[in-house]
Amino acid sequence: CMAMRSCGVALITALWIGYAAVGESPPAAAHRVLFGQSAPLEGPTRALGQAMHAGLLAAFHEINAGGGVHDRSLELISRNDGYEPAAAAENAWDLIHKESVFALIGCVGTPTTRAIRAVARHENVPIVGPFTGAAGLRRAPFNEVLNVRASYAQELERIVAEFVDTRGRCRIACLYQNDAFGLTCIEGLEDALSRRGLTPVAVAPFERNTSAVKAPFLAIRRAEPDAIILIGTYSPCAKFVRLVRQFDM
């Protein structure tokens, strides 16, 4: 939550500086600026959404306690999307059209952020600090997305460098979530390995919002890797680690 709070302060400050630079004031009520959040506040991925929500509230509280921004308080409306793109898009539409939010902030996940972006871009509403490292959300013409975290490609380059360059482990396998998040990460993994003349010895998918990782575990085990990269959320990754320990892999 502390990291989320720090990001929240930086993001909001950057957004206001951007408006000031072009001599405009953000669209807001006289005494407040309203932000909207769509995130997995319930369901198997709720820990991610709840942490982002708590961090944003802490950031807003800190700013408001200091007098707000240009004498306006910051307020947050959050909606649960369960880490499902269709729900995220519907939430984004409601937050923009029914709640009249200034910006969308703190969305969680690649497939959900892509769905939110499609709505926000059409309505010319910025997306601030999405919890995703997808490359497709970092390139023009998607200038409405303000990112603060590293990309998946950057993260995977560092992971592969540690395994291959530092530890000499070249037989790398990967468990990944079978959606836009996982597929984007697989691209980053393959690129990082190819720069070293390598390819994954096994890549095995599981479905989003499930912990169905036993079949992928068996496929990876047969490949006899000396390192495994897990691309997924808490519950399925934890189950996979328990299987590794159970079978002394």
Side-chain angles (χ1 to χ4, degrees):
C1 289
M2 291 297 292
M4 299 289 187
R5 184 178 71 180
S6 298
C7 284
V9 174
L11 287 166
I12 295 161
T13 301
L15 211 51
W16 277 84
I17 289 172
Y19 270 95
V22 295
E24 298 180 0
S25 296
H31 301 294
R32 70 173 186 172
V33 182
L34 192 59
F35 290 83
Q37 179 192 27
S38 178
L41 304 176
E42 300 175 9
T45 318
R46 63 186 179 275
L48 289 171
Q50 290 172 358
M52 181 67 83
H53 177 73
L56 288 170
L57 289 180
F60 284 21
H61 176 76
E62 181 177 335
I63 293 170
N64 291 338
V69 179
H70 296 297
D71 298 322
R72 292 173 178 174
S73 64
L74 307 181
E75 298 182 19
L76 180 68
I77 298 177
S78 297
R79 298 281 185 268
N80 173 55
D81 59 37
Y83 199 33
E84 291 294 345
E90 183 177 349
N91 286 345
W93 195 96
D94 286 347
L95 288 165
I96 293 169
H97 291 279
K98 295 182 181 180
E99 303 292 351
S100 299
V101 299
F102 157 50
L104 298 168
I105 191 169
C107 47
V108 174
T110 298
T112 43
T113 301
R114 284 185 173 181
I116 290 167
R117 184 201 67 202
V119 177
R121 189 177 183 215
H122 184 266
E123 303 300 331
N124 198 30
V125 172
I127 301 173
V128 185
F131 191 65
T132 170
L137 296 168
R138 295 164 183 269
R139 304 190 191 107
F142 306 127
N143 297 322
E144 74 280 3
V145 182
L146 177 60
N147 291 289
V148 295
R149 59 154 287 164
S151 71
Y152 295 143
Q154 290 170 320
E155 291 177 331
L156 284 157
E157 169 60 30
R158 293 289 294 176
I159 292 169
V160 169
E162 176 65 23
F163 279 144
V164 178
D165 304 341
T166 303
R167 304 191 182 196
R169 300 193 175 193
C170 298
R171 295 185 55 78
I172 296 177
C174 182
L175 172 77
Y176 71 96
Q177 186 168 289
N178 188 23
D179 62 6
F181 162 48
L183 293 171
T184 299
C185 289
I186 286 294
E187 289 179 7
L189 172 61
E190 291 176 340
D191 287 345
L193 288 173
S194 69
R195 286 192 287 273
R196 294 162 173 84
L198 301 171
T199 58
V201 296
V203 290
F206 69 95
E207 297 306 310
R208 181 179 63 244
N209 277 337
T210 75
S211 294
V213 298
K214 189 168 184 179
F217 164 75
L218 294 173
I220 288 174
R221 188 182 184 209
R222 286 193 294 270
E224 298 182 347
D226 56 20
I228 304 172
I229 295 172
L230 307 183
I231 298 171
T233 52
Y234 302 136
S235 295
C237 289
K239 183 175 179 180
F240 187 93
V241 171
R242 287 195 293 271
L243 287 169
V244 169
R245 292 173 176 173
Q246 178 184 346
F247 289 91
D248 194 25
M249 184 174 170

